[in-house]
Amino acid sequence: MRISIDKDVCIGAGQCALTAPSVFTQDDDGLSELLPGREDGGGDPLVREAARACPVQAITLQD
């Protein structure tokens, strides 16, 4: 799986980081970013739920 975050769409709600904290974090501006080495989701089963939880659909997943 490949995870992409559209920083132009992200509003910094933080739902991804709350849902899958082993994959997502927030940068200094509050926008979502992937933790280093987690670009593939690291096998975390909550990645799909985190993408669904994004209120502006800034996260896309490609299998």
Side-chain angles (χ1 to χ4, degrees), residues 18-53:
L18 289 172
T19 304
S22 70
V23 177
F24 298 95
T25 189
Q26 290 178 282
D27 65 15
D28 292 338
D29 295 323
L31 300 179
S32 179
E33 67 180 8
L34 295 167
L35 290 169
R38 295 299 189 157
E39 293 80 9
D40 65 354
D44 190 323
L46 294 174
V47 170
R48 291 188 190 282
E49 183 59 34
R52 282 192 290 271

Side-chain angles (χ1 to χ4, degrees), residues 3-4 7-9 11-13 15 18 23 27 29 34 37-38 40 44 50-51 53-54 59 61:
I3 305 167
S4 300
K7 297 258 187 181
D8 292 330
V9 174
I11 60 171
Q15 295 304 305
L18 289 172
V23 177
D27 65 15
D29 295 323
L34 295 167
R38 295 299 189 157
D40 65 354
D44 190 323
C54 180
I59 301 169
L61 306 175

